[in-house]
Amino acid sequence: MTASNAKLKSYWQVNGEFGASLPMADRGLAYGDGLFETMRFQKGLCALADQHWARLLKGCERLSITLDKNRLLADLQSFLNNIQKQEPNLHGIVKLIVTRGAGGKGYLPPENSKTTLIWQWLPAAAPSTEAQNGVSLCVSDVRLAKQKLLAGLKHLNRLEYVLAADRAPAGQLPLLLDADEYVIETLSHNVFLVREGEVITPHLMHCGVEGVLKQFAQQKIVPSLNINMREACVSLNEIMAADEVFIGNSVRGFWPVTQLAANKKIVNWSIGNICRQFQKSHQLYLQSVHG
Amino acid sequence: MTASNAKLKSYWQVNGEFGASLPMADRGLAYGDGLFETMRFQKGLCALADQHWARLLKGCERLSITLDKNRLLADLQSFLNNIQKQEPNLHGIVKLIVTRGAGGKGYLPPENSKTTLIWQWLPAAAPSTEAQNGVSLCVSDVRLAKQKLLAGLKHLNRLEYVLAADRAPAGQLPLLLDADEYVIETLSHNVFLVREGEVITPHLMHCGVEGVLKQFAQQKIVPSLNINMREACVSLNEIMAADEVFIGNSVRGFWPVTQLAANKKIVNWSIGNICRQFQKSHQLYLQSVHG
């Protein structure tokens, strides 16, 4: 390992054992039978932890995966204690994979499996200019299949997203539509558009991931800004006619969208006021948590 | 480990190393970014190996996963050599998982990844009475999402099948329909119905797994029996009106269906002549390979 990629070293903990490997019979590998969360930590704290745990526990409930929140939090604390020996300021990304564990009869889950908890520590995301300058989107040619039993969950069945990433032009961020041509999300951000002062975000009843930053916006940002936000079916034409478009996830925050190429048209936006208000509100909250 | 489950011990080989564990950053775990095959071996041979390799290589091509067939076959041979020390007659099930390996930038695959090959040895399936006596099907309440980019592949994104298995009444084999209510397959078998002497099997352009035994039937059984077989959209009403229904996969062979409960109706079938011809043809082929 050279000095430059030594910085990119990541660390793992599986079922409470630092540096352990995955039991080969784990259903996470065999079937994608699990969920994940990607969390931004500063000084050992994740500002949106409540939203991450809420999504994860809801996902476990929908997939009938047993997860005890006390075990989860104790396991995270032991992981952070191990990480702190390597990364004293605990500033980085924690990825958590929760699987149903091993066992069962083929697809049929075992009656009593031991849920697998896998923690990974990754370096903090490199600073980027997108939050300031905005980002361009293209429309993916992958259409997300509609499956209401899995919609909204951050589950491990992500081949559609791998294909969408692989098929996108280099350096472009793909916007994903569903099989009915409605706008859902980008590869890893929820989408927000502004029309006549109101914020609209695609509903995710059939596919897509309910983002933690979207939850935070609904719970904390919107009430503080005297703005209305609602979920709706959003067509490509509606997004292209919007006054303002932005995207967001919990690791990167909100990014303004300055260009969208679709339907043989290109629409350019200057950076809008509501995006800047969302960014500021999110930043103030992060500062209130991390100091 | 007690004496009784010692018989169920399985063995693993990862990237040529017997007993190795999975690199934690493997995309098979993170995203279900891979494929699998489950193969029946007798005396060290898999009678339908050609069909397994054909499906696997087609899947790799569609997912842009690099797989060299010579490496695959050499890796299998080294695995069987290791297994033979434990299981001298090499009579059992080989499960192969092929993943895109580690690396990449989130969902985006790396430009040059090393494909992961995971072999697992499992005991042969216990003898069962279904081939002789038939099986009852119920209709799952899980509807398979339509995704033509993944249809037909035996990929690792199998949460729909886990949910279907988990939600089925105990001991019943669920029949899976797609979002448009067309019949696709059972949890792990392709479906065949007979109408006026013709065999019809659901087309799998939108979802479902193209079974190896179905391929074998198309290539070898149907031409030898002077029967016509074709793929079509199949509704529940059509299957319930069929003269004969049977299912099949490469590990278990063909099973007659003797009952289907759906739409508040129960249909019972006696075991049909064409199912018995398919079974006999498959058995003769297995004997010609294994002796």
Side-chain angles (χ1 to χ4, degrees), chain B:
Chain B
M1 186 178 290
T2 66
S4 68
N5 66 19
K7 278 181 65 185
L8 294 175
K9 192 165 164 58
S10 67
Y11 304 94
W12 299 88
Q13 179 168 301
V14 180
N15 288 335
E17 195 182 338
F18 196 66
S21 57
L22 183 74
M24 287 303 299
D26 195 274
R27 297 172 61 93
L29 172 65
Y31 307 127
D33 192 2
L35 300 152
F36 70 109
E37 294 290 333
T38 308
M39 290 172 279
R40 175 182 172 174
F41 272 70
Q42 286 185 273
K43 301 179 187 171
L45 289 176
C46 174
L48 298 177
D50 288 349
Q51 287 81 3
H52 283 289
W53 303 146
R55 176 173 64 185
L56 178 64
L57 290 165
K58 185 178 171 188
C60 285
E61 192 184 330
R62 280 177 56 191
L63 299 183
S64 303
I65 291 176
T66 307
L67 181 61
D68 178 72
K69 194 173 172 186
N70 291 331
R71 176 187 167 207
L72 180 76
L73 296 180
D75 211 45
L76 170 60
Q77 194 53 57
S78 87
F79 179 59
L80 293 177
N81 292 345
N82 284 315
I83 291 301
Q84 197 158 28
K85 296 165 198 163
Q86 318 284 341
E87 305 281 345
N89 65 7
L90 287 175
H91 178 50
I93 306 292
V94 169
K95 179 170 175 178
L96 166 63
I97 296 178
V98 173
T99 84
R100 200 185 303 273
K105 191 180 171 189
Y107 296 127
L108 184 67
E111 293 208 3
N112 294 298
S113 61
K114 181 160 167 29
T115 303
T116 299
L117 295 184
I118 302 167
W119 301 95
Q120 180 185 16
W121 179 269
L122 294 156
S128 71
T129 58
E130 285 90 340
Q132 185 57 36
N133 300 340
V135 66
S136 295
L137 303 184
C138 62
V139 176
S140 176
D141 65 349
V142 174
R143 295 290 172 267
L144 297 174
K146 293 168 67 180
Q147 176 50 272
K148 66 179 197 275
L149 296 174
L150 300 174
L153 306 187
K154 204 168 169 84
H155 56 69
L156 296 174
N157 280 198
R158 300 249 75 95
L159 266 174
E160 288 179 324
Y161 294 72
V162 172
L163 291 179
D166 200 30
R167 292 156 73 109
Q172 291 208 44
L173 187 57
L175 181 68
L176 296 167
L177 314 185
D178 73 8
D180 295 332
E181 300 284 310
Y182 286 110
V183 172
I184 302 299
E185 60 191 355
T186 78
L187 268 190
S188 49
H189 310 77
N190 286 131
V191 171
F192 307 85
L193 56 118
V194 180
R195 195 167 57 196
E196 296 173 3
E198 184 185 50
V199 180
I200 296 164
T201 185
H203 81 64
L204 305 175
M205 292 189 297
H206 297 300
C207 47
V209 177
E210 286 289 355
V212 152
L213 190 63
K214 174 183 162 185
Q215 293 297 316
F216 177 76
Q218 286 170 324
Q219 294 162 359
K220 303 280 181 175
I221 297 178
V222 166
S224 74
L225 290 182
N226 195 26
I227 288 175
N228 190 42
M229 180 160 104
R230 65 183 171 87
E231 299 187 340
C233 289
V234 174
S235 69
L236 257 184
N237 282 337
E238 285 171 302
I239 200 170
M240 295 185 87
D243 303 325
E244 200 180 312
V245 178
F246 54 99
I247 61 177
N249 70 32
S250 68
V251 169
R252 292 298 202 159
F254 294 102
W255 286 357
V257 174
T258 50
Q259 187 177 86
L260 172 61
N263 293 345
K264 300 181 184 170
K265 252 192 345 194
I266 295 180
V267 178
N268 293 292
W269 289 273
S270 50
I271 294 171
N273 185 41
I274 291 185
C275 176
R276 289 301 189 213
Q277 290 181 59
F278 271 54
Q279 288 180 321
K280 188 174 168 190
S281 189
H282 180 226
Q283 281 304 319
L284 286 173
Y285 178 70
L286 292 182
Q287 284 164 24
S288 75
V289 174
H290 301 302

Side-chain angles (χ1 to χ4, degrees), chain A residues 1-9 123:
Chain A
M1 189 177 291
T2 66
S4 68
N5 66 19
K7 278 181 64 185
L8 294 174
K9 194 166 162 60

Side-chain angles (χ1 to χ4, degrees), chain A residues 49-235:
Chain A
D50 287 349
Q51 287 81 3
H52 283 288
W53 302 147
R55 177 174 63 186
L56 178 65
L57 291 165
K58 185 177 170 187
C60 285
E61 192 184 330
R62 279 177 58 191
L63 299 182
S64 303
I65 292 176
T66 307
L67 181 60
D68 178 72
K69 195 173 172 188
N70 290 330
R71 177 187 166 207
L72 180 76
L73 296 180
D75 211 44
L76 170 61
Q77 194 53 55
S78 87
F79 179 59
L80 292 177
N81 292 345
N82 284 316
I83 291 301
Q84 197 159 26
K85 297 166 198 163
Q86 318 284 341
E87 306 281 346
N89 65 7
L90 288 175
H91 179 50
I93 306 291
V94 169
K95 179 170 174 177
L96 166 63
I97 296 178
V98 174
T99 84
R100 200 185 302 272
K105 191 179 172 190
Y107 296 127
L108 184 66
E111 293 208 4
N112 294 297
S113 60
K114 180 161 167 27
T115 302
T116 299
L117 295 184
I118 302 167
W119 301 94
Q120 181 185 15
W121 179 268
L122 295 156
S128 71
T129 57
E130 285 92 340
Q132 186 57 35
N133 300 339
V135 66
S136 294
L137 303 183
C138 62
V139 176
S140 175
D141 65 347
V142 174
R143 295 289 172 269
L144 297 174
K146 294 168 66 178
Q147 176 50 273
K148 66 179 196 276
L149 295 174
L150 300 173
L153 306 188
K154 203 166 169 86
H155 56 68
L156 295 174
N157 280 201
R158 301 249 74 95
L159 267 174
E160 289 179 323
Y161 294 72
V162 171
L163 291 179
D166 200 30
R167 293 156 72 109
Q172 291 208 43
L173 187 57
L175 181 68
L176 296 167
L177 315 185
D178 72 8
D180 294 332
E181 300 285 310
Y182 285 110
V183 173
I184 302 299
E185 60 191 353
T186 78
L187 268 191
S188 49
H189 310 78
N190 287 131
V191 171
F192 307 85
L193 57 120
V194 180
R195 194 166 58 195
E196 296 174 3
E198 184 184 52
V199 180
I200 297 164
T201 184
H203 81 65
L204 305 175
M205 293 188 298
H206 298 300
C207 48
V209 176
E210 287 289 355
V212 152
L213 190 62
K214 173 183 161 184
Q215 292 297 315
F216 177 76
Q218 286 170 323
Q219 294 162 359
K220 303 279 180 175
I221 298 178
V222 166
S224 74
L225 290 181
N226 196 26
I227 288 175
N228 189 41
M229 180 159 106
R230 63 183 172 88
E231 299 187 341
C233 289
V234 175
S235 69

